[in-house]
Amino acid sequence: MNLTCSAKELEKQIINWRRELHQCPELGLDTPVTAAYLSQRLTEMGIEHRMKVGVSGIVGIIRGNGGNPCADKVGRQKTIGLRSDMDGLAIIEETGLAFAATNGNMHACGHDAHMAMLLGAAKILQDHRERFKGSVKLIFQPAEEGPGGARLMISEGALENPDVDAILGLHIGIISKEVDTGQVGIHYGNMMASLDDFKIRVIGKGCHGAMPDTGVDPIVMSAQVVNALQTIVSREVRPTHSAVVSIGVIRGGRAFNIIPDEVEMIGTVRAIRSDVREMIAARIKEIVAGITGAMGGSYEYHYTMGYPPLVNDARFTREFKKTAERIAGAENVVEMSEPSMGGEDMAHYLEKVPGTYFLLGSNNPAKNIIHPHHSSKFDVDEDVLYLGSALLAQGAFDWLKKEASVNMTE
Ligand SMILES: [Zn+2]
Ligand SMILES: [Zn+2]
């Protein structure tokens, strides 16, 4: 069964949902208006759902009742999760759209479109629940842009009761230049980087700028530290294992003739592989300790693990590729040649269960939809939204169908 027609029939409705959600962008974990809107739509569709999972998150469930239940050896039904993020950004919108937000925040990353597409998929699957076995869990998650809603929702049971066996999610927009309007970008294995931050205090001993021999200069130590940290990626990480160490803040000193007591640095680490990520976190500490120790100073170091690398399951992705080819046409399914150094907390679900995260291209120069994510002029080509709903619904449908037949032959 191909669900594209069902999605096309819903197209106007999906666009309308997107426009209404676009007008109430909220930030972080605190997205009550968005959650209330989604809850109303799910209730209208007759979909059972739980609110306030991860502060403002929602977990809905669609139980297929086609034929014999799809059960594994212990008799449990299979469940696939479909995930959308919910949060906007603290950006004043400058798109000039008739439905632009006016509350000082903006859906400048396309999460409004994600929610609308997932509502569309939910409606299609609910209407076709006689045709599949097993369950589909809908996960609407706040705080993707920070501080992170995925980990919180998982800790509050989003992947349990019933247990989720696989997960599917997408990002719309222009994350990869290889994925044009209406095209689907897929990637096997490590697709997006980890997203961590760190703070370093380089501690010396302040003194008069004319008498450096009476103190320990943290500015000179910091200069050595900044340079040495850049050799982690260039000399210690295998060149094909992409990683980044960037210092975004360096602060210290108040006057031209005073050597300060300390300098503070704040930075970020991105890595496509978990082992590289852990190596970098440890090596920053060793380098800072070595340099400050050798120069008579000391240090404090604090590393915060944020989102892990996003890793797509090869088997699931291979199957999803077939689904995507049926929905979008084989010529519109692109295997992306390189991963993104951006981070995404979908990675937390993919650490727990196999699945895939894919891209749906929605830039369209012919309509002047060309602005990058997090720009005050970011927009999406609404003509691709029904495709997103079809991809999610069909992805869930095909997976459940395949898992059911595997189990029935066991
Ligand atoms: Zn974003
Ligand atoms: Zn985003």
Side-chain angles (χ1 to χ4, degrees):
M1 191 167 71
N2 189 319
L3 299 169
T4 313
C5 288
S6 308
K8 192 71 187 164
E9 281 166 22
L10 262 184
E11 184 173 24
K12 277 207 178 94
Q13 181 72 82
I14 297 166
I15 291 172
N16 191 46
W17 286 328
R18 183 257 166 166
R19 291 183 177 189
E20 290 186 343
L21 285 161
H22 189 82
Q23 290 171 66
C24 61
E26 297 173 286
L27 304 180
L29 289 165
D30 193 24
T31 60
V33 176
T34 308
Y37 180 90
L38 295 170
S39 174
Q40 277 174 15
R41 302 291 81 77
L42 294 173
T43 302
E44 285 163 9
M45 294 174 200
I47 296 174
E48 172 191 337
H49 58 281
R50 189 153 67 96
M51 308 274 293
K52 296 187 178 170
V53 184
V55 186
S56 302
I58 299 179
V59 177
I61 185 95
I62 301 169
R63 294 179 211 277
N65 45 18
N68 295 322
C70 146
D72 63 16
K73 284 172 187 160
V74 291
R76 189 176 63 77
Q77 286 205 345
K78 292 281 180 181
T79 300
I80 182 165
L82 299 177
R83 177 268 200 177
S84 165
D85 36 21
M86 298 165 68
D87 53 323
L89 289 148
I91 293 173
I92 294 172
E93 180 159 353
E94 294 181 309
T95 56
L97 293 167
F99 53 90
T102 55
N103 68 352
N105 300 326
M106 179 183 171
H107 271 298
C109 201
H111 301 184
D112 51 342
H114 295 170
M115 290 184 279
M117 291 187 288
L118 184 51
L119 283 174
K123 172 87 176 117
I124 295 165
L125 290 163
Q126 174 74 349
D127 289 349
H128 289 85
R129 64 189 185 282
E130 307 292 334
R131 309 283 295 269
F132 63 88
K133 305 157 192 168
S135 301
V136 180
K137 195 174 258 193
L138 310 168
I139 300 173
F140 290 97
Q141 175 220 303
E144 190 286 321
E145 302 285 4
R151 188 151 47 183
L152 191 59
M153 286 192 76
I154 292 168
S155 74
E156 294 185 15
L159 295 180
E160 295 156 30
N161 189 31
D163 288 354
V164 172
D165 301 289
I167 193 148
L168 181 62
L170 85 163
H171 210 302
I172 199 167
I174 47 173
I175 288 173
S176 167
K177 288 199 170 74
E178 296 177 73
V179 186
D180 281 338
T181 318
Q183 289 192 324
V184 181
I186 62 158
H187 195 84
Y188 292 95
N190 298 53
M191 171 170 157
M192 295 180 85
S194 56
L195 191 169
D196 301 336
D197 66 271
F198 63 87
K199 266 187 201 161
I200 300 167
R201 273 178 73 208
V202 173
I203 304 164
K205 183 167 168 268
C207 61
H208 196 296
M211 301 161 201
D213 54 303
T214 62
V216 176
D217 189 341
I219 289 186
V220 173
M221 282 193 284
S222 298
Q224 306 283 352
V225 166
V226 170
N227 279 328
L229 291 185
Q230 291 312 309
T231 65
I232 300 175
V233 171
S234 68
R235 302 290 83 180
E236 298 185 48
V237 174
R238 187 183 297 181
T240 49
H241 293 175
S242 310
V244 175
V245 177
S246 292
I247 306 277
V249 173
I250 178 160
R251 257 192 300 254
R254 296 184 63 198
F256 81 101
N257 58 351
I258 304 168
I259 290 169
D261 282 319
E262 60 180 62
V263 169
E264 181 188 47
M265 287 182 241
I266 303 173
T268 189
V269 171
R270 310 292 172 112
I272 294 294
R273 294 168 55 104
S274 293
D275 55 346
V276 172
R277 174 199 205 191
E278 278 155 29
M279 182 274 277
I280 292 174
R283 285 296 292 144
I284 292 175
K285 184 173 189 209
E286 286 168 6
I287 287 169
V288 173
I291 290 172
T292 54
M295 297 178 79
S298 60
Y299 73 98
E300 284 175 14
Y301 176 60
H302 190 74
Y303 191 95
T304 307
M305 293 271 183
Y307 303 165
L310 186 150
V311 185
N312 286 331
D313 179 74
R315 179 167 165 258
F316 186 101
T317 305
R318 216 166 24 245
E319 292 303 319
F320 177 73
K321 188 184 178 200
K322 293 180 201 160
T323 297
E325 285 173 346
R326 282 171 61 209
I327 299 289
E331 69 284 7
N332 289 318
V333 178
V334 180
E335 274 188 42
M336 294 177 286
S337 62
E338 54 184 36
S340 160
M341 295 312 288
E344 164 61 62
D345 76 347
M346 175 77 182
H348 285 294
Y349 305 101
L350 289 166
E351 268 192 338
K352 302 276 181 199
V353 293
T356 213
Y357 193 63
F358 65 95
L359 303 184
L360 175 62
S362 68
N363 65 323
N364 193 337
K367 297 180 184 173
N368 200 34
I369 298 172
I370 51 171
H371 299 284
H373 292 260
H374 297 203
S375 150
S376 59
K377 294 184 175 159
F378 176 81
D379 193 11
V380 299
D381 184 351
E382 292 176 326
D383 289 348
V384 310
L385 297 185
Y386 82 95
L387 274 176
S389 293
L391 288 158
L392 291 170
Q394 191 81 46
F397 188 88
D398 289 353
W399 185 86
L400 286 170
K401 196 172 155 209
K402 187 149 197 303
E403 289 300 303
S405 59
V406 167
N407 283 314
M408 274 143 78
T409 56
E410 270 173 3

